[in-house]
Amino acid sequence: MNIVIVGGGAGGAELATRLGHKYGKRKKHNITLIDRNNTHLWKPLLHEVASGSLDMGVDSLSYRAHAYNHHFRFKLGSLEAVDREAQEITLSRLVDEDGNEILPERKLPYDILVLALGSVTNDFGTPGVREHSIFLDAPKQAERFHRKLLNGLLKLNRSAMTDRDAAYRIAIVGGGATGVELSAELHHTFNTMKAYGLSELKTEQLKISLLEAGPRILPALPERISGSAHKELEELGVQVRTQTMVAEAQPNRFITKDGEAIEADILVWAAGVKVPDAFKGLAGLETNRINQWQVKGTLQTTEDEHIYAIGDCAACMMADGKQVPPRAQSAHQMATHAFKNICRQIEGKGELTDYVYKDYGSLVNLSRYSTVGSLMGSLTRGSMMIEGRIARFMYVSLYRMHQLALHGWFRTGLRMLSDSINKVIRPRLKLH
Ligand SMILES: Cc1cc2nc3c(=O)[nH]c(=O)nc-3n(C[C@H](O)[C@H](O)[C@H](O)COP(=O)(O)OP(=O)(O)OC[C@H]3O[C@@H](n4cnc5c(N)ncnc54)[C@H](O)[C@@H]3O)c2cc1C
């Protein structure tokens, strides 16, 4: 049988690894993972790539090497179409940076197809946003942000010698976890750059505005956590503006609904997610208003039991009528559940079971300054707010769980060791 997984992110990479071990090793079934990138980086780390706290070159994982080690095949390509009758997908033509063809359009058969394509930032059709602001959807965008930031700080350092009022302004739309974490990371980067030769920089020259349309930042988290993060950011000098709806983006400025212009050297849009519009109506599969594929409890799409959807691109309803949130922990859990159901389906053993989302809480990391969040579960008897070292430990654990699912205990242990060594031998920031 051919089991094809499209999208090697938080969910897809874990699923391909598990299926590779179960079926690929003994060549029982062909497991193929497709991604449009050659390397995998856990998406919640993207803001650290943008700020330079993390180096893509060191921390990303080669799909080909991983596939070789875990008994599945990797194909570089971008999903274009799905033919449900022929049970075949089409990958678009692959071209290099100069537009030269590397690979022609390709067709691939499947018996089971898993859509794990993640999501992209939702600009809600706001005029000018796509043209003038940066999204943090993919490593390339985060790296572009990082280059822009370094150049900006270099320029500021130069002008600060003669102009005491010189400043570097960053405006971020979206007071969710991405916007909040990015604000704190940027503050840390700015201060660290002083140690790396940009000695004219003064903390007050960094002007970060975090713009949130709702009444508070981190709306998905309990109020006291959002209050604590708000206070922490303000102490760092971040201007947190709630009830500020951005209606338009122009070159180097956001315009609010009230007509106010918020000028900035870099505009970042980090508000909301959707599945790219290009996938709306793909193969007649049912989608919701943000183009996520509607799935049954089994994680099979409502229209086709040979097609599963997991992670951010899946619309999965919980018992309370709410939808499973687009988070790394959901993608991780869905990958585990889809693995069990796919095994049952292809082996014809037992009934497929329904996925139940387990909310273990949410954590927000304010760079090296603080971590805040809530833990959920029977031990905590509901929700418990945590802060500081324990919160930081739990935050890092989420990534370690992803690494464990990909590499197992031994290799994850080695990675942790190499991370510790890198902390000593490498600069604290990516400086180029
Ligand atoms: C900056 C940032 C910070 C975040 N922080 C947190 C956090 O702290 N905690 C948390 O729980 N969640 C966080 N999230 C959300 C979390 O990253 C996502 O919920 C999670 O990654 C979803 O996993 P996924 O497997 O569905 O998709 P992804 O991890 O996004 O993976 C999708 C994969 O599909 C590939 N792909 C896309 N389109 C195609 C195509 N057409 N053809 C082939 N391949 C394709 C992509 O290259 C990618 O590898 C954060 C997100 C961002 C952007």
Side-chain angles (χ1 to χ4, degrees):
M1 268 199 190
N2 291 310
I3 306 170
V4 176
I5 301 140
V6 194
E14 292 187 13
L15 180 60
T17 308
R18 279 171 169 266
L19 288 168
H21 277 275
K22 173 105 180 165
Y23 298 120
K25 202 170 180 177
R26 286 187 219 113
K27 309 218 177 327
K28 266 179 124 178
H29 301 294
N30 298 320
I31 315 297
T32 307
L33 175 69
I34 291 154
D35 203 282
R36 58 184 174 184
N37 296 316
N38 270 310
T39 54
H40 164 73
L41 183 82
W42 197 56
K43 203 174 173 184
L45 297 175
L46 279 185
H47 63 281
E48 294 190 30
V49 174
S51 66
S53 307
L54 200 118
D55 187 340
M56 269 291 293
V58 177
D59 294 283
S60 56
L61 173 74
S62 155
Y63 282 120
R64 279 189 200 287
H66 191 69
Y68 173 76
N69 288 331
H70 298 274
H71 321 288
F72 63 87
R73 291 188 298 179
F74 170 69
K75 286 198 183 296
L76 180 66
S78 195
L79 180 73
E80 194 170 277
V82 177
D83 182 339
R84 281 168 49 202
E85 245 173 54
Q87 294 205 321
E88 185 176 80
I89 61 166
T90 306
L91 301 183
S92 52
R93 190 174 156 256
L94 201 65
V95 292
D96 66 15
E97 281 161 3
D98 302 320
N100 301 320
E101 183 173 286
I102 305 170
L103 290 173
E105 188 183 276
R106 289 152 294 158
K107 297 209 184 288
L108 242 91
Y110 69 82
D111 297 288
I112 301 281
L113 174 66
V114 182
L115 300 170
L117 293 151
S119 60
V120 293
T121 306
N122 196 345
D123 65 0
F124 304 101
T126 313
V129 168
R130 205 144 281 278
E131 296 80 11
H132 304 300
S133 54
I134 294 184
F135 298 152
L136 289 184
D137 288 332
K140 271 192 191 134
Q141 292 161 320
E143 287 186 312
R144 184 176 148 231
F145 181 101
H146 180 238
R147 281 193 301 275
K148 231 175 137 127
L149 176 71
L150 286 186
N151 292 341
L153 296 188
L154 203 59
K155 223 166 131 183
L156 175 65
N157 189 58
R158 170 93 185 162
S159 45
M161 290 176 187
T162 49
D163 178 4
R164 298 195 70 79
D165 295 330
Y168 196 67
R169 299 151 309 165
I170 302 171
I172 303 166
V173 173
T178 305
V180 168
E181 291 185 344
L182 180 64
S183 302
E185 280 296 340
L186 290 172
H187 189 275
H188 174 255
T189 298
F190 190 89
N191 282 326
T192 311
M193 284 306 286
K194 289 192 237 173
Y196 287 111
L198 303 191
S199 53
E200 299 298 323
L201 299 184
K202 310 267 175 311
T203 307
E204 53 283 6
Q205 288 171 325
L206 177 67
K207 310 268 186 215
I208 301 175
S209 307
L210 181 63
L211 316 172
E212 165 60 43
R216 64 181 175 97
I217 59 167
L218 301 174
L221 296 185
E223 218 163 324
R224 53 201 174 130
I225 293 168
S226 112
S228 174
H230 189 132
K231 191 165 153 254
E232 195 88 40
L233 286 179
E234 285 194 331
E235 278 170 13
L236 292 178
V238 175
Q239 191 192 23
V240 183
R241 294 183 53 173
T242 51
Q243 316 266 31
T244 305
M245 166 83 87
V246 170
E248 191 184 343
Q250 294 176 357
N252 294 108
R253 59 189 196 162
F254 283 127
I255 310 290
T256 69
K257 200 174 77 176
D258 303 329
E260 185 193 349
I262 297 166
E263 311 275 343
D265 300 284
I266 306 189
L267 305 179
V268 184
W269 188 272
V273 296
K274 66 172 181 176
V275 175
D277 295 333
F279 291 127
K280 202 181 175 81
L282 180 89
L285 295 171
E286 189 187 357
T287 50
N288 66 7
R289 68 183 166 82
I290 54 166
N291 310 331
Q292 289 169 307
W293 288 291
Q294 212 77 54
V295 293
K296 300 187 280 189
T298 56
L299 300 178
Q300 292 160 303
T301 50
T302 47
E303 306 287 327
D304 192 326
E305 62 179 31
H306 298 281
I307 304 182
Y308 288 72
I310 62 168
D312 283 10
C313 70
C316 182
M317 207 61 88
M318 296 189 275
D320 61 2
K322 287 190 191 148
Q323 211 176 285
V324 175
R327 289 196 196 153
Q329 62 171 313
S330 323
H332 169 76
Q333 290 174 22
M334 283 181 171
T336 308
H337 197 85
F339 168 74
K340 290 181 191 151
N341 274 352
I342 290 171
C343 294
R344 287 191 186 112
Q345 189 176 2
I346 58 180
E347 289 175 18
K349 283 188 195 154
E351 291 280 296
L352 271 58
T353 59
D354 282 351
Y355 165 64
V356 179
Y357 172 64
K358 293 183 198 76
D359 187 355
Y360 292 113
S362 300
L363 293 154
V364 178
N365 187 40
L366 301 169
S367 191
R368 306 298 176 268
Y369 307 111
S370 166
T371 305
V372 290
S374 66
L375 282 189
M376 308 275 284
S378 45
L379 271 181
T380 60
R381 294 193 187 142
S383 156
M384 182 179 88
M385 179 168 165
I386 52 168
E387 242 175 304
R389 278 174 191 272
I390 301 175
R392 171 81 192 157
F393 174 79
M394 300 303 291
Y395 179 84
V396 175
S397 303
L398 190 59
Y399 180 42
R400 295 295 178 210
M401 271 166 61
H402 176 63
Q403 288 187 313
L404 266 180
L406 294 186
H407 310 295
W409 286 99
F410 181 63
R411 281 171 191 253
T412 302
L414 288 181
R415 276 168 189 270
M416 286 166 72
L417 184 66
S418 94
D419 287 350
S420 307
I421 295 171
N422 277 337
K423 268 192 194 147
V424 179
I425 62 171
R426 295 182 62 81
R428 280 178 284 156
L429 281 181
K430 186 169 188 277
L431 300 165
H432 55 274

